Amino acid sequence: MALLAEGADALDVQGCKIFEVVRICGDDGSLEAVQLVFSDDRSLTLTVWTDWSLTVELRSDIAVPEYLWLPEERVRIVIPELSDLSFEVGEVVPRHNDAAELFEVRFVLGGRQLLVGSTGGNLIIEIE
C-alpha cells in the first residue's frame, strides 16, 4: 500500500471515475469508514480519528487500512446506488469546524450527493 495524499490534498479527486463506494464496517455492523474506489484501483478512505475530526487518505490500493484494527475482520459493503461505472466525482466540498479541523465532505457523484462526516465522534453518511 502506498499513501498518496492525506487531508485536504487527498480531496483532489474531481473528475475521477467511480468504480464503487463501500462502507467499511466492524464485525458488529458499526460503520468505521467510507471508501470511494476509483476505476484506476486507487481509493479515498474517510474515517473519524481519535480527536473526532474526519481523516481522509488517498491510497494506491483498495485494501482496508491497517489502522482499522484488525483489518481482516472488517467487512466491505458496497453501496449499490453509488457504485456505477458511469459516475465521476463532479465536486468535492470540505467543511471545517471553528478549530479548522475537517468534519464533513460533500461529494457530487454522477448527479447524486454523498455526505460523509464526523458527528460526536461517530462517522455518518447521507445519500441524496
Side-chain angles (χ1 to χ4, degrees):
M1 180 285 296
L3 179 64
L4 301 175
E6 56 189 337
D9 293 336
L11 293 173
D12 187 18
V13 293
Q14 190 170 358
C16 291
K17 298 273 187 203
I18 294 289
F19 175 72
E20 64 184 5
V21 180
V22 299
R23 301 171 201 255
I24 299 175
C25 297
D27 57 2
D28 63 353
S30 60
L31 179 63
E32 295 188 10
V34 173
Q35 191 174 60
L36 283 72
V37 179
F38 304 110
S39 59
D40 62 2
D41 291 330
R42 293 181 305 148
S43 66
L44 185 71
T45 304
L46 302 99
T47 192
V48 175
W49 208 241
T50 56
D51 64 357
W52 293 10
S53 65
L54 190 64
T55 187
V56 184
E57 290 184 346
L58 183 62
R59 305 164 58 92
S60 65
D61 62 12
I62 59 171
V64 174
E66 300 81 27
Y67 53 78
L68 295 175
W69 190 251
L70 294 162
E72 63 273 6
E73 293 182 6
R74 300 299 167 258
V75 178
R76 297 176 75 251
I77 302 169
V78 173
I79 302 172
E81 61 267 31
L82 294 176
S83 297
D84 185 327
L85 294 175
S86 66
F87 284 175
E88 81 175 33
V89 180
E91 187 175 9
V92 180
V93 181
R95 291 187 57 206
H96 297 83
N97 62 19
D98 293 338
E101 297 168 326
L102 182 67
F103 78 95
E104 183 178 280
V105 180
R106 183 175 301 276
F107 298 92
V108 176
L109 308 172
R112 308 281 315 254
Q113 290 193 33
L114 168 66
L115 174 84
V116 181
S118 172
T119 300
N122 295 311
L123 186 65
I124 59 156
I125 62 171
E126 296 177 8
I127 301 168
E128 299 174 15

